[in-house]
Amino acid sequence: MPELPEKPTLEGLEKKWSAAWEADGTYRFDRTASRDEVFSIDTPPPTVSGSLHMGSVFGYVQTDANARFRRMQGRQVFYPMGWDDNGLPTERRVQNYYGVRCDPSVPFDPGFEPPAQPGKDALPISRRNFVELCHRLTAEDEKVFEQLWRSVGLSVDWDLTYATIDERSQRASQRAFLRNLARGEAYASEAPTLWDVDFQTAVAQAELEDRDQTAAYHRVRFHRPDGGEILIETTRPELIPSCVALVAHPDDERFRPLFGTTVRTPLFGVEVPVLPHRLAEPDKGSGIAMICTFGDTTDVVWWRELKLPTRTIVQRNGRFQTARPEWLPSGPWDDLAGSTVKQAQRRIVELLGESGELVDEPRPITHPVKFYERGDRPLEIVTSRQWYIRNGASDPELRSSLLGAGTDLAWHPDFMRVRYEHWVEGLNTDWLISRQRFFGVPIPIGYPLGPGGEILHDQPIVPDEASLPVDPSSHVPPGYTEAQRNQPGGFTGDADVMDTWATSSLTPQIACAWEDDPDLFARTFPMDLRPQGPEIIRTWLFSTVLRSRFEHGSLPWTDTTINGWILDPDRKKMSKSKGNVVTPMPLLDEHGPDAVRYWACRGGPGTDTAIDFGVMKVGRRLAIKLLNASKFVLGLGGAGADSAAAVTEPLDLAVLAALAEVAEEATSALDGYDYTRALDRVESFFWRFCDDYVELVKGRAYGEGPPAASARAALGIALSNLQRLFAPFVPFATEEVWSWWQEGSIHRQPWPDGTELRAAGGAGQPALLAVAADALGEIRKAKTEAKRSLRTDVVRATITDTPERLAALRAAESDLREAGRLAELVLLEGEGLGIDVELAPPE
RNA sequence: GGGCGCUUAGCUCAGAUGGUCAGAGCACCUGCCUUACAAGCAGGCGGUCGGGGGUUCGAGUCCCUCAGCGCCCACCA
């Protein structure tokens, strides 16, 4: 047994024990364990191209506390760590970091090295070089994250890591997609889709966000054949050239006579019909709207349901097409050709003013506009061919089955379930998974080319599962040769990659090695726990439930814990743009990992929590107290060696019985993922233990004979239990104090559920400890109020209390005398606690 | 427009199924060098539990309503 330190300190514990845990394989998963012995966690793969901030620490530490509890309960914890490195965030980071951009038309350069400093203009490089840079940079980013996780003491098994772009993930992702395709759960379709003109890719419903934008209502004249006019209001006058109809509510008396007639558009004089539709709202604008292809998603609904023609003028790069559209034989096209949407709007407004078709000044408004969550310009709607996975948006049976899955899943906290339900109920399109990007898992499909070089989309060439993962840009389908690529009569590969969620939705399958390692899979899947943030219930959680339902007909996990938001010290949400992001490393250096973990664990499940340095200080103080209290108890000698059988004194039995209650409550709280409650109960008991119980029995414990042995034994048992009860929360300090007197890591010890304490102190009366502590408190109070030292001798203390409480006090009388330095103690029966203390005169 | 959550001492938060539930820590004040801990110990000050109504013998604790804050969703002419 190592010597007790003269002056215990937290310094150096993180380094010392991180290294020991790594060397000893403390958190290594035992893959011979059977499924019911395993506790498997579907850890969120952090986006490594994102920045490190306290939000990264908060939820992961809470999960780690739960993981450590399960491990001590005897479960084999399957706790892998993934890195989410595929997709647009990585592309963008690589572009900025190296000053490059991907241009698929540039040939591969095997000796390419990025410039030391990013240049002013982005350097165009080949797709393959670009992807290589993505891999290079994410590898660096992943190291930084791993270092952070080790610093805060995550008990992850570092042999079980994966990346969402690695070969195993790609294989799982493509295999799942091909099976979705074979079962009809995935399909391709040519349709209007929301489109980011900067990234030039389609985006999915789950990736949208509304942003308030300033705009203006423009009152514009449409012309009736009889010379009359109809005024419509629009925020997008530049789309007049793509107008295909006007629409009003069927019951709107103002426009009813016009249904079935036609009007001519301003500037261009195109004849369009006036039609009724229930979605037109009489009190919006002028009550009659123009339908364009496409200004917003309502246009798409109208276009589809009213079977209108498509008159697209905005191209995928966000600019008007250059050639004059054939449906605009007249009108000022040359002024608009090739301009951006913004430029075109300005010009059209000028032209409308000149022609007298603009009524009044434009009226400024602020309204919500759909953006890609990572994008900078409003989304446009373009028609393109995309891949979809069914999600229940247009399939009531699937939808209700998914709602049922949400009910079967145990949510912590439970109210988070409604976010899932609202999302499922509000889905309006299937899940668009294809992206016109570069760094992602390719859609593993090829197509034959017709004699004219046209792509035969209806005859997709599907690779064999054994050949996965494949990259269609280099993969040659059986029966073809590379020379036939992109040649008439030959073949071509699907150029798209999958959305990052299309892969992330398979993290249980990836982590558990679905199909790659059926033995491991059987021992770990379906998993036990999915911890994650609330903002990705609609994406990650939902899509994971969906994929598992399709592939396995089961939930991916039985439980999910949803953490709260991190707010900055002023209770504002942290975000890069506000510049109030708090980075974890300096805080870890200043307060220590246990203190930061304590702060994180004080944030309840699903509860938004502000960064609070005061709470971290409290955590640090707790860890130090744990060192000092342990040192004291162990310094009495015999604590470890005295057997439980020696606990005989009523006060000693009482403390063990009281702690048993705490242990039982902590256990049931943690069983329900309520780590905060467990920590709270253990912590408050611990301080009472130090301040009252230890003070009461200290004198006796120094002595000899059975009463002294009883105190030392009780102190030892209580200490062992307390150390273990704290282990999930402050793993470094608890491991340190455990090592002073025990063999093996504390994190592999049996969880103290109260059984051992009941056995040792079952006859104890917890109330006894409380009564004695109250009396000691009164004596201290008398001394403090007299401004005397607590060492002051008491000539006589007279305590009045109820008979029951006096009986309890008598059982602890000698401890109370010694702790209070009472020469004489008089006990009188009365109504309640009263005390009269006569202090020894000052010297 | 709809939904969810929050609103308890100056600050951060506990208060499971309504009856010692008005608490803890921080901060502040007053003391104490007490041989585990002065990064400590003892004590004190401090709140009509967001507003209003209701149910009940009794409500931070249940119901209704209003307000503020945060988040999520919504077809944004």
Side-chain angles (χ1 to χ4, degrees), chain A residues 737-750:
Chain A
V737 294
W738 190 258
S739 75
W740 292 344
W741 64 316
Q742 306 279 5
E743 294 298 317
S745 170
I746 191 172
H747 302 296
R748 285 288 188 175
Q749 302 306 315

Side-chain angles (χ1 to χ4, degrees), chain A residues 186-197:
Chain A
Y187 64 92
S189 170
E190 175 107 8
T193 50
L194 287 159
W195 184 270
D196 187 288
V197 297

Side-chain angles (χ1 to χ4, degrees), chain A residues 796-827:
Chain A
R796 181 172 54 244
T798 308
I799 296 178
T800 314
D801 213 333
T802 61
E804 302 76 43
R805 285 171 60 92
L806 286 185
L809 205 48
R810 281 193 192 94
E813 189 176 336
S814 62
D815 287 335
L816 182 61
R817 278 168 176 277
E818 183 151 9
R821 301 172 81 99
L822 313 178
E824 186 183 352
L825 174 61
V826 181
L827 301 177

Side-chain angles (χ1 to χ4, degrees), chain A residues 649-784:
Chain A
E649 298 293 307
L651 192 60
D652 302 334
L653 292 167
V655 76
L656 298 183
L659 181 52
E661 288 179 354
V662 170
E664 285 158 4
E665 196 176 357
T667 304
S668 76
L670 279 163
D671 267 326
Y673 299 96
D674 193 352
Y675 50 85
T676 305
R677 188 182 182 86
L679 172 58
D680 180 71
R681 296 310 136 95
V682 174
E683 184 188 8
S684 58
F685 180 88
F686 175 64
W687 287 100
R688 278 188 285 122
F689 170 80
C690 291
D691 297 341
D692 296 334
Y693 176 73
V694 172
E695 292 300 326
L696 279 164
V697 302
K698 199 184 225 180
R700 173 158 55 90
Y702 279 128
E704 290 181 14
S710 171
R712 289 196 297 266
L715 284 166
I717 293 165
L719 183 70
S720 162
N721 278 269
L722 281 165
Q723 289 178 347
R724 282 176 286 154
L725 286 165
F726 275 123
F729 309 104
V730 285
F732 295 98
T734 49
E735 186 75 305
E736 173 70 11
V737 294
W738 190 258
S739 75
W740 292 344
W741 64 316
Q742 306 279 5
E743 294 298 317
S745 170
I746 191 172
H747 302 296
R748 285 288 188 175
Q749 302 306 315
W751 174 255
D753 59 5
T755 312
E756 176 195 348
L757 289 159
R758 287 276 174 224
Q765 299 296 319
L768 175 56
L769 180 60
V771 171
D774 286 350
L776 181 60
E778 291 299 321
I779 292 162
R780 284 167 172 160
K781 184 171 176 175
K783 292 179 179 179
T784 299

Side-chain angles (χ1 to χ4, degrees), chain A residues 61 277 420 566:
Chain A
V61 164
H277 194 275
Y420 172 91
I566 280 302

Side-chain angles (χ1 to χ4, degrees), chain A residues 110-128:
Chain A
F112 174 76
E113 273 301 316
Q117 292 287 324
K120 220 168 77 186
D121 297 314
L123 180 68
I125 60 175
S126 74
R127 176 175 175 148
R128 187 166 156 192

